[in-house]
Amino acid sequence: MELKRSKAEWMRRYASFVIILFVIALGTSLSIRANLGSSPISAPPYILSLIPGMKMTMGQLTICMHVFFILIQMLLLRKDFEKRQYTQILVSFLFGFYTDLTMWLTAPLQVPFELNPVAGYPLRFIELLAGGAILAFGIACEVRCDSLMLAGEGLPLAISRFLRKDFGKVKICSDTCLVCIGTVFMFVYFGHWSWKMVGVGTLVSMFYVGIMVRVFSPHLQWLDLIFIPKGERRKAAPQTSDEWRGNHVITIARMYGSGGDAIGAEVARRLECPCYNRQLIDQTAQQMGYSADFVAQNEQTLSTSRLWEMIFADSGIPASMNPSKEDAIYVSQSRTIRGLAHKSPCVIIGRLGNWILRDDPHVLRVFIMSGRDFAVKQLADKLHLSATDAARKIEQVNTGRANHYWHYTGKQWTDINGYDLIINTERTGIDGAVDMILRAARQIV
């Protein structure tokens, strides 16, 4: 996707990327110094650099590996290989230099493997977690920068496009293969398993870094002050709050079976304004060229297995090149929700409306909940299910919504700080909840 950015903005993003790349290299090196194993993508060059008599440094070996990855991308994509991605070659050389520099800087921090385990292992894990956090912060900044990417991320992206397979699965297979290749090098050149080459740190990197990227990502909006020139930020700024006066915009997040959909529809009817629920699915499908059923299956829900898959595959792929269908749907729906909210008074049900419109002072953010028994009875009566099946369905949907919320916000779905009004329909009933929302809406200026 071609991004409409000025030359000044591109230069800011490229300059920022140079700094961000150093942060990523620093996090990688600090993790290695914990002596618990390297990250998956660093395993082959790190292990080869430890071979007695090896004349190439880890940074130089990293450059060789990345250039090889770029050649594979070019062979797979051919004419579809974007000209902008030739910069991966320059990025590879810079990252290799940063790797050697940060390995030198962190050398005094290496925890000796022979250190007493009572003191050694706590120190190693502290250093590993610190390095992983720095690495995750760098990756989150890289994604926010949305300009260039490392060849280690470009290769699985190229493979996923060539094979037309899900990027997450390809990324997991790619990382696993790199660890296996590193392990082969370890046995060939050292003849035994070494935990400081491939160990606990390798596994922790696969889990921990992805989780920390999710934690950092929602809090990096301030970077746009660096990436985007002031004049262009002013042009892209949303409408002022004065243009919102008179608009009653209400977002309703709801637990499954709590009656949130019915409440939203009735509130909209009494306010004589649109209620957007299923309509958001239809609009997103139309905009993206997907079927409505496809969007319905992949929006505002994320299974636990899919969530962990996305965490494992978390990487420095710029947002403009991210092939995730969930991300594409989220971006499309976010734009639609902002447009509808600015256009006229409305009620928006689900779809992270409270988060997307969190900075608008004239939005009433409501969370609808209920007790488990109440929800089970409501759903069993509505869908003619047994109590057991209804309970299972409620658990599945609520888990999916909670995962979806955490994935895109880094916060808990049920955190009261994300809402202005929380209603338990088991106590108030549907009509009582509607009355409470209408009374609260009248307080919005």
Side-chain angles (χ1 to χ4, degrees), residues 88-206:
Q88 287 184 45
I89 299 174
L90 295 176
V91 169
S92 298
F93 277 87
L94 181 59
F95 187 68
F97 168 74
Y98 280 161
T99 297
D100 284 340
L101 175 62
T102 54
M103 286 294 286
W104 175 73
L105 290 173
T106 58
L109 300 176
Q110 180 155 333
V111 181
F113 204 73
E114 301 77 17
L115 189 66
N116 189 315
V118 175
Y121 276 103
L123 287 175
R124 291 190 189 101
F125 273 103
I126 290 172
E127 192 165 31
L128 176 66
L129 296 178
I134 293 173
L135 174 58
F137 177 74
I139 291 174
C141 290
E142 183 185 6
V143 173
R144 188 79 187 186
C145 186
D146 196 5
S147 57
L148 303 172
M149 64 179 172
L150 285 162
E153 314 300 345
L155 178 59
L157 178 59
I159 294 173
S160 68
R161 288 177 175 174
F162 179 76
L163 298 177
R164 297 181 180 179
K165 298 293 185 181
D166 182 79
F167 171 76
K169 293 182 174 62
V170 172
K171 184 63 168 61
I172 292 172
C173 291
S174 172
D175 285 350
T176 303
C177 287
L178 288 173
V179 173
C180 290
I181 291 171
T183 303
V184 170
F185 288 157
M186 180 173 61
F187 278 105
V188 169
Y189 291 103
F190 297 92
H192 61 87
W193 189 283
S194 175
W195 291 102
K196 66 180 181 181
M197 297 183 193
V198 178
V200 177
T202 307
L203 293 176
V204 170
S205 295
M206 296 179 70

Side-chain angles (χ1 to χ4, degrees), residues 173-439:
C173 291
S174 172
D175 285 350
T176 303
C177 287
L178 288 173
V179 173
C180 290
I181 291 171
T183 303
V184 170
F185 288 157
M186 180 173 61
F187 278 105
V188 169
Y189 291 103
F190 297 92
H192 61 87
W193 189 283
S194 175
W195 291 102
K196 66 180 181 181
M197 297 183 193
V198 178
V200 177
T202 307
L203 293 176
V204 170
S205 295
M206 296 179 70
F207 288 86
Y208 175 68
V209 173
I211 291 174
M212 291 304 295
V213 169
R214 290 293 192 276
V215 172
F216 286 126
S217 293
H219 307 290
L220 296 177
Q221 294 92 336
W222 55 271
L223 284 173
D224 290 344
L225 299 176
I226 300 173
F227 300 151
I228 307 173
K230 186 176 180 179
E232 294 175 39
R233 291 200 307 272
R234 191 180 296 113
K235 292 179 183 178
Q239 294 169 300
T240 63
S241 60
D242 289 341
E243 295 173 336
W244 278 67
R245 294 192 182 280
N247 283 8
H248 285 284
V249 179
I250 300 171
T251 66
I252 296 181
R254 74 282 188 229
M255 288 185 171
Y256 195 52
S258 65
D261 290 358
I263 291 169
E266 180 60 19
V267 168
R269 188 189 70 79
R270 294 199 196 180
L271 290 175
E272 297 182 343
C273 68
C275 177
Y276 297 107
N277 190 354
R278 175 76 193 190
Q279 297 90 331
L280 290 171
I281 295 177
D282 296 334
Q283 288 191 36
T284 302
Q286 183 178 9
Q287 292 170 1
M288 302 183 67
Y290 291 156
S291 69
D293 288 341
F294 177 86
V295 174
Q297 292 170 5
N298 291 282
E299 56 110 43
Q300 71 163 348
T301 183
L302 209 60
S303 68
T304 300
S305 60
R306 175 60 177 162
L307 176 63
W308 281 111
E309 179 183 312
M310 295 176 79
I311 289 174
F312 290 149
D314 221 337
S315 60
I317 292 198
S320 60
M321 290 178 272
N322 197 322
S324 164
K325 58 182 180 292
E326 292 90 354
D327 288 353
I329 290 172
Y330 169 69
V331 170
S332 179
Q333 286 192 342
S334 296
R335 290 172 180 166
T336 299
I337 287 171
R338 290 191 186 98
L340 293 172
H342 282 273
K343 182 179 179 182
S344 66
C346 61
V347 175
I348 297 171
I349 298 178
R351 283 85 190 174
L352 305 185
N354 68 299
W355 174 260
I356 293 167
L357 302 176
R358 64 191 181 279
D359 295 325
D360 295 311
H362 302 291
V363 175
L364 177 65
R365 302 170 299 168
V366 182
F367 186 83
I368 305 295
M369 60 171 291
S370 70
R372 179 179 178 276
D373 293 340
F374 177 86
V376 167
K377 185 178 185 305
Q378 293 289 315
L379 193 64
D381 293 343
K382 180 180 179 180
L383 301 182
H384 307 291
L385 299 174
S386 67
T388 300
D389 290 340
R392 185 181 300 113
K393 179 71 172 176
I394 289 170
E395 178 68 22
Q396 179 185 4
V397 174
N398 283 340
T399 298
R401 290 176 179 174
N403 288 342
H404 180 258
Y405 194 90
W406 183 77
H407 173 65
Y408 289 106
T409 71
K411 298 181 179 295
Q412 296 299 316
W413 180 45
T414 55
D415 183 357
I416 62 174
N417 293 312
Y419 307 96
D420 304 306
L421 179 62
I422 299 175
I423 301 175
N424 185 340
T425 50
E426 187 173 9
R427 297 301 184 101
T428 66
I430 301 299
D431 292 337
V434 171
D435 291 338
M436 290 178 67
I437 293 172
L438 291 174
R439 283 199 300 271

